[in-house]
Amino acid sequence: MTVLTHARITPPLAYYDGLYSFQQDVFDTCMEHADNAHDAHGYTRAMQLAALAIAIDLPASGTIVKCACSHCGDCDAIFDAASPGLRRVEPSGPYNLPRYQCTACTDGHPAPHED
Ligand SMILES: [Zn+2]
Ligand SMILES: [Zn+2]
């Protein structure tokens, strides 16, 4: 692992590819539910279930997301949406869920819309 001197990278909470397939299924479903939730209660519940499914504690921010990096396409980092140093990705629709690049991608790539 390379040592980065400029930014402190917050490690992801989990890696999607490291999950069992049933965990991935539940996680995906929960993310969809959170995305389409009509109220805060439904959103929170979906997030709690997502965290439960991947065996982590839901961070204080109440939102975990999978990296939405468009450079890697399939970066599998799952992290706290309130981690420092994240870059927000343009949402592609009217969703609840924020889209972020993980800290490693934010650090490693240019912004998706700057090239
Ligand atoms: Zn990433
Ligand atoms: Zn990336």
Side-chain angles (χ1 to χ4, degrees):
M1 194 173 177
T2 48
V3 177
L4 298 164
T5 50
H6 49 297
R8 208 172 71 85
I9 300 289
T10 309
L13 298 166
Y15 289 99
Y16 187 82
D17 290 350
L19 302 172
Y20 292 109
S21 62
F22 68 87
Q23 290 179 299
Q24 294 177 345
D25 287 350
V26 178
F27 180 82
D28 288 342
T29 305
C30 290
M31 287 292 126
E32 241 171 75
H33 280 284
D35 228 5
N36 298 317
H38 297 300
D39 54 34
H41 178 74
Y43 182 85
T44 304
R45 207 175 159 76
M47 278 297 162
Q48 286 168 339
L49 280 171
L52 190 67
I54 64 172
I56 61 157
D57 290 323
L58 189 65
S61 71
T63 297
I64 53 173
V65 288
K66 183 166 169 284
C67 181
C69 180
S70 56
H71 280 273
C72 305
D74 62 347
C75 176
D76 68 338
I78 296 170
F79 51 90
D80 180 356
S83 306
L86 300 177
R87 185 190 290 130
R88 186 149 190 165
V89 179
E90 290 299 312
S92 53
Y95 299 114
N96 291 320
L97 272 187
R99 262 61 171 174
Y100 288 105
Q101 280 176 287
C102 70
T103 45
C105 283
T106 299
D107 215 53
H109 314 305
H113 301 289
E114 278 174 14
D115 52 10

